[in-house]
Amino acid sequence: MRAPTIRDVAERAGVSKSLVSLVLRGSDQVRPEKRDAVLRAARELGYRPNAAARSLSEQRTRTVGVLLNDLRNPWFVDLLDGLNSLLHANGLRMLLADARLNRRTGQDPADPLLDLRVDGLVVVGTLPDPAALGQVAERIPVVLAGSREPAPPGVDVVAGDDERGALLVAEHLIGLGHRRIAHIAGYGAVGELRRRSFEATMRRHGLAEQVLVEPSDMTEEGGYRTTVRLLSRPDRPTAVFAVNDIAAIGVLSAAEELGLRVPRDLCVVGYDNTSIARLRHVWLTTVDNSSHEVGRRAAQCLLARFEGAGGAGRVQLATPTLEIRGSTAPAP
Amino acid sequence: MRAPTIRDVAERAGVSKSLVSLVLRGSDQVRPEKRDAVLRAARELGYRPNAAARSLSEQRTRTVGVLLNDLRNPWFVDLLDGLNSLLHANGLRMLLADARLNRRTGQDPADPLLDLRVDGLVVVGTLPDPAALGQVAERIPVVLAGSREPAPPGVDVVAGDDERGALLVAEHLIGLGHRRIAHIAGYGAVGELRRRSFEATMRRHGLAEQVLVEPSDMTEEGGYRTTVRLLSRPDRPTAVFAVNDIAAIGVLSAAEELGLRVPRDLCVVGYDNTSIARLRHVWLTTVDNSSHEVGRRAAQCLLARFEGAGGAGRVQLATPTLEIRGSTAPAP
């Protein structure tokens, strides 16, 4: 079976090849009835524009590449929803690549996307080496979404406001009467911002002496081990704020193992409002990053640059909210 | 800034353009020292082959499209690992698309991948309309991975052996002394195969009278509601086998809410061995689908068809194993 060509479409619609070509490029120079005839013929024949050929002639694929830092942690799902809805409304498609998988096989993570000449790149989450994106950004628009690392010149950043999120958590726990509050911290810019804001909020409430901070690797196992250590102290905390949901799950396990009931004996708060935090069996109080909004704004940044907006990269922060669930309650 | 061209690479390496072209196509007709010089020059210049142009001349993009049915349920992560490792070893790259997102915006889910002319397509999980892939399969190799729906002609299927998995669960529970065992069933071919095998195993052990089957929508909420109903029966089961991990999480929540301790008062088994089942706070006995192996075999099917193997589609099943964790114990 031969794939239908532009010539077949033209024949069926009773128009010239160049008119079909104009219609397929979205030209507004074509009369509506001609346009409809062409689109109907294309649909009926199952015609698929050859994106590779179109890419050469127009220098555009109308495709945005999305590089995910790690598919295993599903925090990015709402972000993709927001990104996709706005891109699609503008006639752009989205293709994804998994940076972790590409790195494991020694590839430069964005290569499969760049080789197919995507029109723009959205990097979701923190990459080990965001500076490497500088070269890419000289050729196509690049946006970092959900990461707070320093961006190369010309790269826009959209993320949740981590300082605001950590402040909401600290004030929630302090408002419930907790004094001795531990923070299981993370790494990178995100980890740093959350920790500093937590500490500053505690200080503002005169609780500087009550601050307990323990580093972690942001995994469930890390949250578990750190909590076992924290809870075996004589002056054990009554509440734990973990840097992300997955570490908070480790806190829940440690509490369970040590015979402490959540939230009666220990309150636990996570960060990210992942699907795991929403499970009834977990029902974790956590910070919602407004990820849908982050995705939508990332799309806006790309669209603005497609339309010629240049200049230095901008940083935009979406406002997080606190999702209060079953893992927090008044202090004993 | 102008992107470096093949001419720049040739100049820097001190060779002809056509030699560069031969090297970049992986020809073994080039002397190693020349090949190394070309590759070094390409690397130093940051040369990126124009995949769109190459696609036109060679009719290949060396890219495999992977269509995921829904990014929100992370059961497919190991499958992608297996797929990626073998594809990469054969010089092929992988790009992903999310069928759910594409459908929500009214696109045909595989379109963004097909428009960029991927060389082959792997569909991961169950699509609402797998028959639509028949047309695609007439042009490029298509493999269904992790789904058991009937495939169109020429499409290979690789999945876990659901009948074997359900048998392992039933025999594990029967071996622990459970008699009254409930199954929270799912839908589609996968749901059907698991249910029928569970029932057959119970019958073989003379427990046909003890079988309790309740339908569900395979979500956490569905598992929860069904379990609340099951546990309020006078002859309540001592063990529940849920069609997937996420429904099993709903079972755990229902048990907790009704004051039943797992595994002492109620045993629970899931299916898929997702990252959620491995959380210490959940620690669910479940069936491991050998997803890495499913991914690897899906890659083998594609590679065989790239090399010209034709013929009707084949169905291959990987052998699952039981992961025994903390949610099962001897019957009271």
Side-chain angles (χ1 to χ4, degrees):
Chain A
M1 205 192 86
R2 185 177 66 86
T5 65
I6 201 167
R7 189 188 304 271
D8 301 321
V9 177
E11 228 163 70
R12 189 178 189 102
V15 300
S16 69
K17 258 175 64 185
S18 50
L19 192 110
V20 173
S21 172
L22 274 178
V23 169
L24 295 177
R25 285 172 196 202
S27 165
D28 50 12
Q29 307 296 311
V30 183
R31 275 190 292 138
E33 60 271 31
K34 290 279 182 200
R35 202 194 56 208
D36 293 349
V38 168
L39 293 177
R40 193 169 50 245
R43 206 167 44 237
E44 287 165 358
L45 288 169
Y47 172 77
R48 185 173 301 286
N50 182 339
R54 212 175 41 195
S55 154
L56 280 181
S57 61
E58 283 182 23
Q59 298 294 323
R60 293 200 60 175
T61 53
R62 300 203 67 75
T63 303
V64 169
V66 179
L67 188 61
L68 301 168
N69 70 341
D70 187 349
L71 273 174
R72 292 172 303 177
N73 181 349
W75 68 273
F76 55 78
V77 171
D78 290 339
L79 196 158
L80 287 189
D81 268 352
L83 186 62
N84 188 56
S85 60
L86 196 57
L87 291 180
H88 179 72
N90 285 275
L92 293 160
R93 285 94 45 96
M94 209 168 79
L95 283 182
L96 316 174
D98 181 341
R100 183 185 65 97
L101 281 183
N102 292 353
R103 256 195 317 275
R104 275 183 48 178
T105 47
Q107 301 173 68
D108 199 63
D111 270 3
L113 294 166
L114 299 178
D115 283 351
L116 287 180
R117 303 254 157 165
V118 292
D119 292 339
L121 184 67
V122 180
V123 177
V124 175
T126 302
L127 286 187
D129 182 18
L133 296 168
Q135 261 191 309
V136 179
E138 286 170 10
R139 287 185 292 116
I140 57 171
V142 176
V143 179
L144 301 186
S147 147
R148 299 290 296 277
E149 305 300 321
V155 171
D156 297 309
V157 174
V158 187
D161 183 342
D162 294 290
E163 285 167 291
R164 173 92 190 135
L167 175 143
L168 289 173
V169 173
E171 300 212 315
H172 170 61
L173 291 171
I174 294 167
L176 287 169
H178 294 276
R179 293 292 168 264
R180 192 115 188 98
I181 303 172
H183 176 49
I184 297 181
Y187 52 80
V190 160
E192 184 91 350
L193 288 163
R194 292 180 189 173
R195 175 180 59 74
R196 280 212 226 132
S197 167
F198 165 74
E199 292 171 342
T201 310
M202 290 288 280
R203 275 198 303 275
R204 265 203 309 283
H205 284 82
L207 297 171
E209 300 293 304
Q210 306 291 323
V211 167
L212 271 170
V213 172
E214 290 276 348
S216 86
D217 59 358
M218 299 176 87
T219 65
E220 191 218 357
E221 178 64 23
Y224 170 81
R225 274 186 283 111
T226 308
T227 307
V228 167
R229 209 160 50 233
L230 277 170
L231 295 182
S232 51
R233 295 169 60 120
D235 56 346
R236 69 174 176 78
T238 62
V240 177
F241 163 35
V243 65
N244 64 5
D245 284 352
I246 204 89
I249 303 289
V251 179
L252 293 177
S253 305
E256 200 176 315
E257 208 165 292
L258 296 168
L260 298 177
R261 304 241 314 254
V262 174
R264 207 193 56 184
D265 308 320
L266 185 76
C267 288
V268 182
V269 183
Y271 206 112
D272 287 342
N273 197 18
T274 56
S275 49
I276 295 171
R278 296 173 222 167
L279 295 173
R280 203 187 298 253
H281 183 64
V282 174
W283 211 237
L284 184 70
T285 297
T286 183
V287 177
D288 186 301
N289 271 319
S290 306
S291 292
H292 195 277
E293 174 70 10
V294 170
R296 238 176 38 84
R297 291 210 211 163
Q300 282 170 340
C301 290
L302 270 191
L303 293 169
R305 292 201 177 254
F306 287 150
E307 278 158 22
R314 285 202 306 147
V315 176
Q316 285 186 62
L317 299 183
T319 305
T321 54
L322 189 67
E323 280 288 329
I324 299 173
R325 297 205 179 97
S327 63
T328 49
Chain B
M1 205 191 86
R2 185 178 66 84
T5 65
I6 201 167
R7 190 188 305 270
D8 301 321
V9 177
E11 228 164 70
R12 187 177 190 104
V15 302
S16 69
K17 261 175 62 184
S18 50
L19 191 109
V20 173
S21 171
L22 274 178
V23 169
L24 295 176
R25 285 174 197 202
S27 163
D28 51 11
Q29 307 296 308
V30 183
R31 275 189 294 137
E33 60 271 29
K34 291 279 181 201
R35 202 194 55 207
D36 292 350
V38 168
L39 292 177
R40 192 168 51 244
R43 205 166 48 237
E44 286 165 359
L45 288 170
Y47 172 77
R48 184 172 303 285
N50 182 339
R54 212 174 43 194
S55 155
L56 279 179
S57 61
E58 284 185 20
Q59 298 294 319
R60 294 199 60 175
T61 54
R62 300 202 66 75
T63 303
V64 169
V66 179
L67 187 61
L68 301 168
N69 69 342
D70 186 350
L71 273 174
R72 293 172 304 177
N73 181 349
W75 67 271
F76 55 79
V77 171
D78 290 340
L79 196 158
L80 287 190
D81 267 353
L83 186 61
N84 187 57
S85 60
L86 195 57
L87 291 180
H88 179 73
N90 285 276
L92 293 160
R93 286 96 43 98
M94 209 168 80
L95 284 183
L96 317 174
D98 182 340
R100 182 186 64 96
L101 281 182
N102 292 353
R103 257 196 315 275
R104 276 183 46 177
T105 48
Q107 303 173 67
D108 199 65
D111 269 4
L113 294 165
L114 300 177
D115 283 351
L116 286 179
R117 304 250 158 172
V118 292
D119 293 339
L121 184 68
V122 180
V123 177
V124 176
T126 302
L127 287 187
D129 182 18
L133 296 167
Q135 260 190 309
V136 179
E138 287 170 9
R139 287 185 292 117
I140 57 171
V142 176
V143 178
L144 301 186
S147 147
R148 299 290 296 276
E149 306 300 320
V155 171
D156 296 310
V157 174
V158 187
D161 183 341
D162 294 290
E163 285 168 290
R164 173 92 191 135
L167 175 143
L168 289 174
V169 173
E171 299 212 317
H172 171 59
L173 291 171
I174 295 167
L176 287 169
H178 294 277
R179 293 291 168 267
R180 192 113 187 101
I181 303 172
H183 176 49
I184 297 182
Y187 52 81
V190 161
E192 184 91 352
L193 288 163
R194 291 179 191 174
R195 176 181 59 74
R196 278 212 228 133
S197 167
F198 165 74
E199 291 172 342
T201 310
M202 290 289 279
R203 274 200 302 276
R204 264 202 311 284
H205 284 81
L207 297 171
E209 299 295 303
Q210 306 291 322
V211 167
L212 271 170
V213 172
E214 291 275 348
S216 86
D217 59 359
M218 299 175 88
T219 65
E220 191 217 359
E221 179 64 24
Y224 170 82
R225 273 186 284 111
T226 308
T227 307
V228 167
R229 209 163 46 235
L230 277 170
L231 295 183
S232 52
R233 296 169 60 119
D235 55 345
R236 69 174 176 76
T238 61
V240 177
F241 163 34
V243 66
N244 64 5
D245 284 353
I246 203 90
I249 303 290
V251 179
L252 293 177
S253 304
E256 201 176 316
E257 208 166 292
L258 296 168
L260 298 177
R261 306 242 313 256
V262 174
R264 208 194 54 185
D265 308 319
L266 185 75
C267 288
V268 182
V269 183
Y271 206 113
D272 286 342
N273 197 17
T274 56
S275 49
I276 295 172
R278 296 173 220 166
L279 294 173
R280 206 187 297 254
H281 183 63
V282 174
W283 210 237
L284 183 70
T285 296
T286 183
V287 177
D288 186 300
N289 269 320
S290 306
S291 292
H292 194 277
E293 174 70 13
V294 171
R296 237 176 39 83
R297 290 210 211 164
Q300 282 171 340
C301 290
L302 269 191
L303 293 168
R305 291 203 178 251
F306 286 150
E307 279 159 21
R314 285 203 306 149
V315 176
Q316 284 186 62
L317 299 182
T319 306
T321 54
L322 189 67
E323 280 288 329
I324 299 173
R325 297 206 180 96
S327 64
T328 48

